Amino acid sequence: MADLFANRPRVWVDGKFFHRGAEKFYLKGVTYGPFAPNAAGEPFAAPEQTARDFLLARELGANVLRVYHIPPRWFLDLAAHHDLLLLIDIPWDKHLVFLDDDARRAAARQSVCHAVLACVHHPAVFAYSVANEIPADIVRWSGAPRVADFIDELVAEAKRLDPQCLCTFTNFPPTEFLRPQALDFLCFNVYLHQPAPFKSYLARLQLMADAKPLVLGEFGMDSLREGEPVKCETLAWQIELAFRGGLAGAVVFSFTDDWYHSGRQITDWQMGLTTVARERKASFTVVQKMFHTAPRFPLPRTPKVSVVVASYNGDRTLKACLESLRHLNYPDYEIILVDDGSTDTTPQLAEEFRRGETSGERSPEKVANAEDSCGAASHQLVTSATGGKFHSFRHGTNLGLSVARNTGIAAAAGEIVAFTDADCRVDPDWLYYLVADLLTGEFVAMGGPNLLPPDDSAVAAAVMVSPGGPAHVMLDDRQAEHIPGCNMAFFKTALTTVGDFDPIFRKAGDDVDVCWRLQQAGFKIGFSPAAFVWHYRRSTLGAYLKQQRGYGEAEALLLRKHPEYFNAFGDSVWRGRIYTPAKYGVLLRPPIIYHGLFGSAPFQSLYASQPALTLMLLTTLEFHVLVTLPLWILAVTFKGLLPLAIASLVISVGVAVAAGVQATLPKGRRRWWSRPLVALLFFLQPIVRGWERHQGRLSRQLRAEPVRETLDSVTLRDGTASLGEVRYWAEHRVERVAFVARVLRGLDHQGWPSRSDIGWSEFDVEIYGNRWSHVQLLTVAEDHPRGRQLIRCQLRARLSLQAQIAFWSLLGSVALVVGFFGGWRNWLVLLLLTLPLFAYFLWRQKRKLQSLIVVFLDELAKQEKLIKVPTGRIVEPAVAPKSGPVRVELPKAAEINPPVTAESKATVT
């Protein structure tokens, strides 16, 4: 009978989901058996009963049965006849300490081979589970890495006999930490009967699954203990949450109360949807209804979504991007293509896409707004026959990524604005999952994974596991700190609130900037693991390094605008965990597993070890410039330093090689040169990106109109008065924290790069005004009688990283001169000539910045009706002057700090 169904397509993995032929395939399953042995001694019901059960399963809406023994041929044929697929658990003695016994390991391999050979190429086979729920104490005894490796061996055995078969290992919370690498999808048995923990745990499992599908292999409830009404309610929300959470399928335990286990009939559990006599329970009807609704449960509403694609010379992949957007499973959306001055065939592709559509209407006011946002951008409108309306805009010249995205925002009619890139293909359910998670109300922005397309090159696969690729940064299982620009969506009002994308980001960094600004405004960003896009990586070494140069340039701009998110070397510092195929460092120790007391915890989590970022410092541009290069230069004169110079270079190369060895390359795209290429990229990327970052820090201004000196600031700079402190008198009470907030708003309005204290600093605001220095502002408020206050502002000038590098470089240059020409007198003369001059220059730069900030504070004080007070003894001005500092008589000490009386205390209060 199998031959009759030989032409049926097999199920295959497509990103986070399955496909069967050209259509997506979602598992809607139920476990079946095991039963008391039939007349043939098989752990299955009689063929006649099985046929009746299969009809009931189809009535239920199930398309997959999970069985726990190798099915006989008649069972496979009967399943195929009813268009049911089988998830086959392969039984072997996993409850024994199998890794300590060669015979037991061989028996497990033999079981897998026997199962695959018995079912090979049969159209009823969905997948094999090579193991089911290995006991936690067995894994703890043998060690998690060894057990995971053995599971991978079993998968390899199955793939050897049937290369196209799907394989998994059915895990459960006590061994959550097991991470085999060869699985086609993740499968978990989860029995949680409260909605919040269930939803949270599925989100956790989705992050663990990463780019693979996640299947709920077992879940259910006992009618005998919990009652059928509670079971109905629980199964309903479990199925809905599973599919809303982006799982590729769910399998209910079980089809019937008829259950034979460990050599006996089980009578004290009733987990089935039918009775032993196959009578339908109320839960059967509930699951039937949910299966018929799954996978796309109705959204509470379907707000209009505007999908913006900004493209600059992206014709290689743009057509595939637009075609994927035409077939989204979402009822109300529009596509907005912004051609940012491309010189390739992008205009022709847009025209080709337009000709394949039907004309539509568009609000002239919205078009006018869009045109205003990008100058003389041209606009065309069409309506997709299969999707949403299509709009195309074209900039006359390349204005940069942020401007292009802002053009799309201005033209957007949707309540939600989603973004993807021209080098991406979206999943058909991309918008469904993004919008569903946005409508929960907790988040104003939502991102999703970006996966390597199956047709991308082996070079692209190596690039994917190399540093510097797009990644999401997670604060917990649902909330993100950063979402990549190739896959993100926002409520349009949230973008408008923070001012859309900053035009200074022309190539990259716009997504990081807008995420940080949203969080600074008090908003939250979420992550939807099922809303994925296929993202084509750079396919040549030159293209990858060009991308990293652009990222370095963006980092320089981000550092000037958000210095609080960077360390002294200019590297970004994230609060959350980075999720990326690249390990962005070398792992020196294995992960830590929480087993619970004596290994008995019901949920045993794996805490991944963090990469040794200190080792990665040995590959940075700073290390090469400050250590390796000077050692090689000095080794020319001092031969004894040559071994150190060689060791310095060898260590840097060795770290890159170690990162290449540890890289997890996708199967099927591994070549003999893949790991050497990854090692080369780990070595080159920090140099290229660091060079561009430092070049940007040293040469580029944050604003097109940098802060200029005024007459007042020049006078202050050239004067002799101290600029370390300014004071302002308030005739009314001023909240110091509110005053600092107004300072920050004023700095932001004028384009001053700054960072504020987040609870750990010894200052309120750090202000960056030039490349040589920055100023730390510290405030204090003194309470005075009759509700008056004195606001004191301390300005601490500090040398910047550039100034410190320049200083040590100067010393190094002098040392080199002495090394080549010798003589301590030369050293002394050079030191006496250069260091004082440079120190005076730096002092002038610090004073210049202090004077600018004093003028800024003076202007802010005028707006707040505060009176500037000269430094020295504290004074109490009687009348607010129109302008300039106050000149008044000094009061007596008793007037400043009078004795506290009941009347004065009440006045102060």
Side-chain angles (χ1 to χ4, degrees):
M1 186 181 290
D3 294 339
L4 297 176
F5 310 103
N7 293 328
R8 285 186 179 176
R10 300 184 76 165
V11 177
W12 51 280
V13 173
D14 185 40
K16 294 285 293 180
F17 299 101
F18 300 106
H19 268 245
R20 192 181 189 188
E23 300 296 326
K24 266 190 174 181
F25 180 83
Y26 290 86
L27 273 78
K28 303 172 188 179
V30 62
T31 65
Y32 188 71
F35 302 109
N38 59 21
E42 301 160 335
F44 294 94
E48 297 78 14
Q49 180 63 57
T50 301
R52 292 191 293 270
D53 290 346
F54 284 2
L55 288 174
L56 265 181
R58 294 303 297 168
E59 180 185 334
L60 180 69
N63 54 21
V64 169
L65 299 178
R66 182 178 175 188
V67 295
Y68 298 90
H69 290 83
I70 303 171
R73 200 69 178 180
W74 65 263
F75 190 95
L76 290 165
D77 293 342
L78 198 57
H81 177 76
H82 288 85
D83 199 18
L84 289 169
L85 297 179
L86 303 179
L87 173 56
I88 303 170
D89 270 285
I90 302 175
W92 52 276
D93 291 334
K94 57 187 177 297
H95 61 286
L96 305 177
V97 183
F98 50 88
L99 288 184
D100 289 358
D101 191 311
D102 292 340
R104 290 173 180 171
R105 292 200 305 275
R109 296 190 189 97
Q110 185 177 3
S111 296
V112 170
C113 293
H114 176 64
V116 176
L117 287 174
C119 306
V120 65
H121 302 314
H122 197 286
V125 175
F126 165 69
Y128 302 98
S129 174
V130 298
N132 176 43
E133 294 189 358
I134 300 177
D137 55 341
I138 298 291
V139 177
R140 185 166 174 250
W141 175 275
S142 301
R146 293 180 63 209
V147 175
D149 288 344
F150 185 69
I151 293 171
D152 284 336
E153 288 181 29
L154 296 181
V155 171
E157 286 292 320
K159 297 280 188 180
R160 180 176 61 84
L161 299 173
D162 185 0
Q164 302 303 316
C165 72
L166 299 182
C167 292
T168 189
F169 146 63
T170 307
N171 207 345
F172 68 145
T175 56
E176 172 197 303
F177 51 82
L178 277 176
R179 306 289 170 86
Q181 298 299 310
L183 308 180
D184 292 300
F185 62 96
L186 264 67
C187 186
F188 261 81
N189 300 336
V190 179
Y191 290 89
L192 290 172
H193 296 156
Q194 296 297 323
F198 184 82
K199 184 178 181 180
S200 296
Y201 194 65
L202 292 188
R204 175 179 177 82
L205 293 180
Q206 279 282 36
L207 288 180
M208 288 172 49
D210 191 25
K212 295 178 179 180
L214 173 63
V215 171
L216 201 55
E218 280 183 17
F219 66 101
M221 181 173 278
D222 181 15
S223 304
L224 190 62
R225 291 169 177 80
E226 305 293 340
E228 188 67 10
V230 175
K231 179 179 180 180
C232 290
E233 178 186 355
T234 303
L235 288 176
W237 60 253
Q238 284 180 327
I239 294 172
E240 181 171 353
L241 287 179
F243 284 103
R244 285 192 186 276
L247 270 69
V251 181
V252 179
F253 188 94
S254 65
F255 173 74
T256 177
D257 290 340
D258 184 4
W259 187 32
Y260 189 85
H261 184 65
S262 300
R264 66 185 182 92
Q265 188 73 30
I266 305 300
T267 58
D268 57 347
W269 275 24
Q270 296 179 3
M271 302 284 287
L273 303 179
T274 65
T275 66
V276 174
R278 304 317 196 255
E279 297 173 348
R280 301 169 184 83
K281 296 184 182 179
S283 53
F284 182 98
T285 304
V286 169
V287 171
Q288 180 185 48
K289 178 182 177 182
M290 304 309 287
F291 274 178
H292 286 168
T293 306
R296 299 179 190 92
F297 285 85
L299 300 175
R301 59 189 185 92
T302 54
K304 186 178 183 67
V305 180
S306 300
V307 180
V308 176
V309 180
S311 177
Y312 175 62
N313 291 340
D315 60 355
R316 183 176 71 92
T317 54
L318 178 60
K319 184 176 181 179
C321 173
L322 295 178
E323 285 293 339
S324 69
L325 290 172
R326 291 180 59 185
H327 300 94
L328 289 172
N329 295 319
Y330 190 78
D332 190 8
Y333 71 97
E334 61 180 357
I335 305 166
I336 300 174
L337 171 65
V338 182
D339 177 4
D340 190 27
S342 298
T343 58
D344 60 4
T345 62
T346 295
Q348 289 81 1
L349 285 174
E351 175 64 19
E352 178 185 334
F353 194 79
R354 182 191 67 82
R355 285 199 303 267
E357 311 294 335
T358 307
S359 298
E361 300 293 334
R362 183 61 165 168
S363 165
E365 293 83 3
K366 182 62 69 175
V367 173
N369 292 338
E371 290 174 352
D372 290 342
S373 73
C374 59
S378 59
H379 168 252
Q380 291 179 315
L381 163 67
V382 292
T383 302
S384 170
T386 56
K389 293 179 179 179
F390 174 69
H391 312 269
S392 65
F393 294 86
R394 177 170 170 80
H395 294 168
T397 58
N398 178 240
L399 302 178
L401 180 59
S402 288
V403 174
R405 283 178 168 164
N406 287 342
T407 296
I409 295 171
E415 179 183 345
I416 295 172
V417 185
F419 298 88
T420 190
D421 290 343
D423 57 356
C424 293
R425 287 189 293 110
V426 302
D427 180 72
D429 294 304
W430 175 58
L431 279 189
Y432 171 82
Y433 289 113
L434 284 178
V435 173
D437 285 330
L438 274 175
L439 293 181
T440 62
E442 186 179 359
F443 306 108
V444 300
M446 190 65 56
N450 63 100
L451 311 181
L452 183 72
D455 57 338
D456 217 345
S457 66
V459 173
V463 166
M464 181 188 70
V465 298
S466 299
H472 48 281
V473 183
M474 302 299 296
L475 296 171
D476 55 38
D477 294 334
R478 296 299 307 278
Q479 185 177 350
E481 183 180 4
H482 169 254
I483 50 179
C486 60
N487 185 0
M488 56 185 182
F490 306 84
F491 282 112
K492 188 176 179 180
T493 53
L495 285 175
T496 304
T497 299
V498 298
D500 297 337
F501 293 95
D502 193 331
I504 66 170
F505 299 100
R506 292 182 55 87
K507 300 176 182 177
D510 58 313
D511 50 349
V512 179
D513 170 63
V514 81
C515 286
W516 284 343
R517 285 190 286 128
L518 282 170
Q519 290 168 95
Q520 289 165 357
F523 296 119
K524 289 183 178 181
I525 301 169
F527 186 78
S528 181
F532 76 92
V533 301
W534 297 110
H535 186 197
Y536 290 91
R537 266 58 174 188
R538 300 303 188 267
S539 57
T540 65
L541 177 62
Y544 169 77
L545 295 179
K546 180 180 179 181
Q547 179 193 48
Q548 296 307 308
R549 286 196 294 270
Y551 287 168
E553 178 183 337
E555 281 182 327
L557 297 172
L558 285 167
L559 188 146
R560 289 178 177 271
K561 188 173 182 181
H562 302 280
E564 67 272 23
Y565 290 98
F566 291 83
N567 60 25
F569 291 98
D571 294 318
S572 55
V573 178
W574 299 100
R575 291 180 295 143
R577 179 182 173 186
I578 302 173
Y579 284 82
T580 171
K583 290 188 170 62
Y584 68 92
V586 177
L587 298 175
L588 296 182
R589 63 177 179 83
I592 301 173
I593 302 169
Y594 173 75
H595 293 289
L597 183 64
F598 310 130
S600 61
F603 291 82
Q604 300 187 18
S605 302
L606 180 144
Y607 295 87
S609 59
Q610 293 299 315
L613 296 181
T614 52
L615 277 182
M616 299 312 295
L617 294 176
L618 302 176
T619 65
T620 61
L621 176 66
E622 294 85 355
F623 179 81
H624 295 308
V625 170
L626 298 178
V627 179
T628 303
L629 184 60
L631 281 174
W632 278 97
I633 293 175
L634 290 173
V636 175
T637 303
F638 304 100
K639 302 298 184 183
L641 293 178
L642 184 59
L644 285 177
I646 295 174
S648 175
L649 182 60
V650 169
I651 290 174
S652 297
V653 173
V655 171
V657 170
V661 170
Q662 292 184 356
T664 305
L665 289 156
K667 60 181 181 180
R669 273 169 284 186
R670 300 169 186 168
R671 305 293 185 269
W672 65 266
W673 43 261
S674 294
R675 294 192 186 280
L677 177 58
V678 174
L680 177 63
L681 297 183
F682 263 94
F683 184 79
L684 293 178
Q685 188 264 356
I687 298 173
V688 171
R689 191 161 172 169
W691 175 267
E692 195 65 35
R693 181 174 65 245
H694 285 296
Q695 186 179 30
R697 293 179 67 182
L698 293 170
S699 63
R700 293 182 177 86
Q701 292 291 336
L702 177 66
R703 306 184 335 146
E705 291 289 335
V707 177
R708 301 183 183 280
E709 287 191 288
T710 64
L711 182 61
D712 288 342
S713 65
V714 173
T715 302
L716 289 169
R717 183 195 69 189
D718 295 335
T720 58
S722 171
L723 298 176
E725 183 180 338
V726 289
R727 303 174 180 180
Y728 303 100
W729 183 265
E731 288 293 324
H732 57 280
R733 185 171 182 81
V734 176
E735 290 293 337
R736 185 185 65 84
V737 174
F739 175 77
V740 174
R742 286 192 286 272
V743 170
L744 285 168
R745 287 197 298 270
L747 291 170
D748 186 61
H749 178 73
Q750 295 193 19
W752 285 74
S754 64
R755 71 181 177 107
S756 62
D757 171 40
I758 57 174
W760 301 94
S761 305
E762 299 296 331
F763 54 81
D764 296 323
V765 184
E766 192 165 34
I767 305 167
Y768 299 79
N770 60 50
R771 70 187 59 170
W772 301 107
S773 63
H774 53 268
V775 167
Q776 295 174 350
L777 171 65
L778 178 65
T779 62
V780 65
E782 295 182 353
D783 290 333
H784 287 267
R786 296 184 292 280
R788 296 174 294 179
Q789 282 186 312
L790 185 71
I791 305 294
R792 303 175 65 169
C793 303
Q794 186 181 98
L795 305 175
R796 307 169 182 167
R798 298 288 187 267
L799 292 179
S800 67
L801 176 63
Q802 291 94 317
Q804 296 177 49
I805 291 175
F807 177 80
W808 290 108
S809 298
L810 178 61
L811 284 180
S813 300
V814 173
L816 288 176
V817 170
V818 174
F820 279 110
F821 300 104
W824 64 270
R825 292 184 181 84
N826 294 333
W827 165 265
L828 183 61
V829 169
L830 286 171
L831 194 65
L832 292 176
L833 287 176
T834 55
L835 290 186
L837 289 174
F838 188 61
Y840 176 73
F841 168 77
L842 294 178
W843 177 81
R844 292 283 293 178
Q845 291 298 316
K846 290 196 298 183
R847 191 169 178 84
K848 174 182 177 180
L849 180 56
Q850 283 178 308
S851 67
L852 287 168
I853 296 172
V854 168
V855 172
F856 164 80
L857 291 174
D858 288 348
E859 291 297 323
L860 182 67
K862 288 179 184 179
Q863 297 173 16
E864 300 296 326
K865 298 181 180 180
L866 305 179
I867 306 167
K868 187 172 182 179
V869 178
T871 55
R873 291 185 60 189
I874 301 175
V875 297
E876 181 182 334
V879 182
K882 294 182 179 180
S883 62
V886 179
R887 305 295 180 188
V888 296
E889 294 295 329
L890 296 176
K892 296 178 182 179
E895 295 179 20
I896 301 173
N897 298 302
V900 178
T901 63
E903 181 180 356
S904 64
K905 185 175 182 181
T907 302
V908 172
T909 304

